[in-house]
Amino acid sequence: MSKVSVTGAKRVIDDVIEAAYDHHSLHVTDYDGRYEGFEPGTSLSGAETVNDRLVTVRSLQSILDVDDDRVSAAGRLDDETLTTELERVRDRVNELTDRRDELRASLRDQQEAIDRVEPFADLGIALDLLDGYDSLEVVVGRARADAVETALAAADDVAAFDVFTGDDVVAAFAAQTDDAGDGALQDALVGVDIAVLEVPDAETDPDAYVAELEAERDELRAEIAGVDEELAALREEAADFLVRAEEQLAIEAEKKQAPLSFATTENAFVAEGWMPTATVADFEAAVADAVGDHAEVEELHQASYAADGSHHTEPVGASADADADREAATDGGHATEPTEEPPVVQNNGGAAGPFELLVQGFGRPRYSEFDPTLLVFLTFPAMFGFMIGDAGYGVLYAVIGYVLYARYEGTLRELGAVAMWAGGFTTLFGIYFGIDVFGYHAYQLLGIHWPIDGKGLSPADIDWALSWLVVSVLFGALHLNVGYVLSFVGNYQRHDLAHAVYESASWLLLLNGAWIWIFSRHVLGPKPDFLFESFSVLTLGAVTFSGLPAGVGIAGLVAAGVGFVLLAIGEPAELAEVLSPVVNVISYARIMAVLLAKGGMALAVNLLAFGAYIDDGGEGSYHFIFSPEYLTYIRDHPESYELVFAGMTTAFEPSLVGVLALVGGIVVAVVGHIVVLLLGVSSAGIQAVRLEYVEFFGKFYDSGGEAYTPLGRERQYTTDE
């Protein structure tokens, strides 16, 4: 990448922006106030109008639900057409939406009126009979009829009363005594829990009144549907125009706002930015063709970058002969900062490309950093697949990923690709773990021998569970070694060998020295036997391992001691974390933990649905039960079989209870496995990402890079002719 400056007369700034926009290579950097006499630029004339139009177009797109898929092909859109058509579409949309809003408000009022009258229809008394009496008081409300009657019977001021009830509505009629004042009925009901209802002002039968209101409501709904149809027709009519207008106005807005990043005076401007070194000459020619000698392009610095992480910036041309921190004294002068990092283009491509999404979740790599995308591609799907390890779930993950990949663009498409890779590895590990399909070892059903007994969930294969713990730890040690090696390389290239030794080699020695000692026969007492026996289990007895010789273990302790000394010399503050290499590796035990947890959840679902038994007097593996007859046989032979759980489906028989048990078992199996499938993403996915971000990236990766976003935009729906 090269840092360039474009210096020119302000009267040609429009033409220079046009040339830079068409070339689509200049990543403009914001002016930071370094130049004496220069101020940040302002938007070009007409920017406010363009922005207002762009806001209007995007608002219309949102109201009409217009998306890019509705555009058939690119077309021309001149300014006159844009202005007149935008005004027409805006006025029509405003007219229809205002009308729809009015109708919706009327519909709400109508529904409220229906809600007020419906209780009276339930009561079954004509509305004109509930009001207008001289000698009677009437109260209608929601209350318990017995409570109302009790209160009225006990009231001294009520001479007579009658109570009518509906499903949940009460109408109380009462005549007060001669010496009672107005409001005797209301006073009598003070202690009653009643929600008084206002009697609608109508003389018709309440049922007929409700029917009339509902008819008016249906008319309003029909009118709203008609307006929606008109809006849908307008959407089809205006979709092409709105998409083209959005693109054209967005391009114009970007051009008119470009000077906000420039340094300007009354008569001149300076624009600085980065571009690929190979395009500098062509960019210079493009500017010269546009404005001749009224603007000058100068290459200030070149930043070299190699895949191994090496990076340096060198001044070019006239910049090489001047002080890098000089201040400008005249129009067109410039100051440069050779330590400024260029923007970053992550171009992993191919299969690894979608995994840039995971890397960017932590932070985009800086120009001087190693891009870890390829390493994430090599490790994340493997960790995820190992933790789930089920061919049934793996196929579903892959299918879901394919749907996302095929139907969507952008982030969802990349997530789909990641899901397909994760699903593929999940399927492979599921086959490895005894052809595991939704928690069931299919090799048992197929009647074939399989060397791997499972994940370590049953009494017979507990040794496998401990072996997966050792595998997880060894993988963690390897993963962290790669991280520390990358740290060593980065420190050496950015600083010198001393920095690399003190800040990275020290940790490498601590990590490997400590774990070599752990796997050695030196001080065997506190070390569990499975550390050494797991090698024989994993290789099916082909390899026996009793531990590294005691001398090798002592050498490991010496190496760790050397690492401690180097760390104390170079980074004494880091001594507080001297045990982190051991702790970080143990953190990878979560891989085994999630493997057992997800396998155990799938097993639990199958136990509930189908039931299981253990053979060989409780020392064998779990076997599922698929018929009531087999369940009976197991129960009749307790000396050979241990029943773990009978299962719901084994209760099936030609009866209502049997059918319900069968259906319930199937529902439990389906819903349970869906839950395990979803939890697999939130557990295995999150844990794998955590190991990448915290344990691995923390050793060598800082992130903080800026994406390469050159001025310009590829036209998709408009032409510039």
Side-chain angles (χ1 to χ4, degrees):
M1 297 288 283
S2 291
K3 181 72 177 288
V4 301
S5 71
V6 183
T7 307
K10 202 169 184 180
R11 61 187 176 86
V12 299
I13 191 171
D14 300 68
D15 296 328
V16 170
I17 291 173
E18 285 286 345
Y21 201 93
D22 292 340
H23 199 264
H24 194 42
S25 62
L26 179 63
H27 174 95
V28 181
T29 56
D30 292 334
Y31 172 55
D32 58 7
R34 289 178 293 140
Y35 305 150
E36 184 179 350
F38 282 77
E39 298 293 336
T42 57
S43 301
L44 298 179
S45 175
E48 184 175 353
T49 300
V50 171
N51 288 331
D52 288 343
R53 288 181 176 179
L54 181 59
V55 170
T56 300
V57 167
R58 288 174 174 170
S59 174
L60 293 174
Q61 284 182 304
S62 176
I63 293 171
L64 295 177
D65 192 24
V66 171
D67 52 50
D68 297 350
D69 295 338
R70 296 182 177 274
V71 179
S72 54
R76 183 175 179 273
L77 187 63
D78 57 54
D79 188 66
E80 181 179 355
T81 302
L82 190 151
T83 302
T84 56
E85 184 66 7
L86 179 58
E87 183 176 355
R88 183 190 73 82
V89 174
R90 181 192 61 197
D91 291 345
R92 183 60 177 154
V93 168
N94 288 341
E95 175 188 345
L96 291 173
T97 53
D98 288 347
R99 182 181 168 195
R100 184 174 62 182
D101 291 342
E102 292 174 0
L103 290 171
R104 286 176 173 173
S106 299
L107 180 62
R108 285 194 298 271
D109 294 341
Q110 201 73 6
Q111 187 60 53
E112 290 175 1
I114 292 173
D115 294 340
R116 289 194 300 269
V117 176
E118 280 183 337
F120 297 93
D122 172 55
L123 192 61
I125 300 176
L127 296 176
D128 59 345
L129 298 179
L130 298 175
D131 199 2
Y133 295 102
D134 295 330
S135 59
L136 287 178
E137 292 185 52
V138 183
V139 170
V140 181
R142 300 184 187 276
R144 290 174 51 193
D146 58 346
V148 172
E149 291 175 350
T150 300
L152 294 178
D156 295 334
D157 293 338
V158 175
F161 68 88
D162 202 351
V163 176
F164 299 87
T165 62
D167 288 341
D168 61 347
V169 181
V170 174
F173 294 78
Q176 65 269 29
T177 59
D178 294 338
D179 58 346
D182 294 337
L185 177 57
Q186 297 280 356
D187 294 340
L189 296 177
V190 168
V192 178
D193 183 13
I194 181 171
V196 178
L197 300 175
E198 181 181 355
V199 178
D201 185 15
E203 297 181 357
T204 184
D205 178 76
D207 288 324
Y209 191 30
V210 169
E212 179 183 341
L213 292 175
E214 288 178 341
E216 294 175 2
R217 180 191 63 187
D218 293 340
E219 290 179 5
L220 289 172
R221 287 176 174 172
E223 290 187 55
I224 292 173
V227 174
D228 288 338
E229 290 177 0
E230 292 185 61
L231 284 169
L234 181 60
R235 176 173 62 244
E236 297 298 325
E237 173 192 343
D240 279 16
F241 163 74
L242 290 175
V243 172
R244 293 191 179 106
E246 193 280 334
E247 179 177 87
Q248 182 158 315
L249 289 170
I251 290 173
E252 291 182 17
E254 189 174 357
K255 291 177 181 178
K256 291 186 178 296
Q257 292 171 357
L260 294 174
S261 299
F262 295 0
T264 62
T265 64
E266 183 177 353
N267 300 313
F269 74 91
V270 177
E272 291 186 348
W274 292 91
M275 66 174 54
T277 301
T279 66
V280 173
D282 188 50
F283 176 73
E284 186 175 358
V287 173
D289 288 343
V291 298
D293 59 359
H294 295 291
E296 178 185 0
V297 177
E298 181 183 359
E299 185 178 12
L300 305 177
H301 295 93
Q302 285 185 6
S304 62
Y305 170 75
D308 62 0
S310 60
H311 158 258
H312 67 280
T313 305
E314 295 180 349
V316 177
S319 297
D321 302 323
D323 181 72
D325 298 320
R326 68 188 182 276
E327 294 291 333
T330 60
D331 288 359
H334 52 265
T336 61
E337 293 185 1
T339 57
E340 178 186 353
E341 286 208 358
V344 175
V345 179
Q346 283 183 274
N347 188 23
N348 292 279
F355 288 82
E356 291 178 0
L357 180 68
L358 297 182
V359 173
Q360 291 170 11
F362 184 88
R364 189 181 299 274
R366 294 183 299 167
Y367 192 81
S368 58
E369 280 190 312
F370 176 84
D371 184 352
T373 299
L374 180 61
L375 295 176
V376 173
F377 164 67
L378 295 174
T379 55
F380 176 83
M383 284 192 288
F384 184 96
F386 187 89
M387 282 188 274
I388 302 298
D390 188 292
Y393 297 137
V395 170
L396 291 180
Y397 286 134
V399 169
I400 294 171
Y402 177 77
V403 171
L404 293 175
Y405 184 83
R407 293 188 178 182
Y408 300 97
E409 297 294 333
T411 300
L412 287 178
R413 181 181 175 87
E414 293 175 344
L415 281 175
V418 172
M420 284 193 291
W421 279 103
F425 274 88
T426 302
T427 302
L428 291 176
F429 278 111
I431 295 173
Y432 176 74
F433 292 133
I435 318 181
D436 212 20
V437 180
F438 298 116
Y440 179 74
H441 292 161
Y443 76 87
Q444 297 176 353
L445 182 64
L446 298 173
I448 62 176
H449 172 72
W450 199 259
I452 309 300
D453 288 336
K455 299 173 181 176
L457 299 173
S458 62
D461 54 16
I462 187 65
D463 290 340
W464 284 101
L466 297 174
S467 298
W468 304 137
L469 174 59
V470 174
V471 168
S472 301
V473 168
L474 291 175
F475 173 80
L478 176 62
H479 203 212
L480 295 185
N481 264 290
V482 174
Y484 282 128
V485 168
L486 290 174
S487 173
F488 182 92
V489 173
N491 279 318
Y492 176 71
Q493 291 170 342
R494 287 191 297 268
H495 305 291
D496 51 37
L497 181 60
H499 279 82
V501 170
Y502 291 137
E503 297 180 12
S504 302
S506 57
W507 292 112
L508 272 170
L509 290 170
L510 283 166
L511 169 68
N512 292 289
W515 283 99
I516 286 174
W517 177 81
I518 290 173
F519 279 96
S520 74
R521 297 188 59 80
H522 185 241
V523 191
L524 277 175
K527 300 174 183 177
D529 293 337
F530 71 82
L531 281 179
F532 314 112
E533 295 171 352
S534 294
F535 290 88
S536 177
V537 174
L538 293 168
T539 60
L540 303 177
V543 175
T544 57
F545 177 71
S546 59
L548 297 171
V552 175
I554 294 173
L557 286 179
V558 172
V562 172
F564 180 88
V565 172
L566 291 174
L567 189 65
I569 295 173
E571 296 289 337
E574 297 291 331
L575 289 177
E577 299 184 10
V578 70
L579 294 179
S580 63
V582 176
V583 175
N584 292 160
V585 170
I586 293 176
S587 180
Y588 282 77
R590 70 188 65 238
I591 296 177
M592 178 274 294
V594 175
L595 169 69
L596 298 184
K598 289 294 156 285
M601 292 176 66
L603 175 63
V605 171
N606 291 335
L607 284 175
L608 289 172
F610 308 115
Y613 67 92
I614 300 176
D615 59 7
D616 297 333
E619 298 298 329
S621 300
Y622 290 115
H623 301 273
F624 294 113
I625 307 168
F626 293 105
S627 69
E629 294 77 15
Y630 203 50
L631 174 61
T632 301
Y633 180 81
I634 293 169
R635 284 173 168 167
D636 291 342
H637 296 80
E639 72 282 357
S640 300
Y641 305 103
E642 177 186 346
L643 180 64
V644 179
F645 187 76
M648 299 176 65
T649 57
T650 56
F652 173 71
E653 58 183 18
S655 66
L656 177 60
V657 174
V659 171
L660 290 176
L662 178 62
V663 173
I666 294 173
V667 170
V668 167
V670 173
V671 174
H673 285 301
I674 290 175
V675 171
V676 177
L677 181 79
L678 297 176
L679 289 177
V681 177
S682 63
S683 58
I686 290 175
Q687 294 302 333
V689 167
R690 183 203 177 280
L691 290 173
E692 299 283 9
Y693 286 177
V694 179
E695 314 298 350
F696 186 52
F697 284 4
K699 304 300 179 285
F700 69 96
Y701 187 59
D702 293 326
S703 75
E706 180 183 4
Y708 173 63
T709 54
L711 181 66
R713 175 173 171 175
E714 297 292 338
R715 292 179 181 266
Q716 293 180 273
Y717 311 111
T718 59
T719 62
D720 55 0
E721 298 178 357

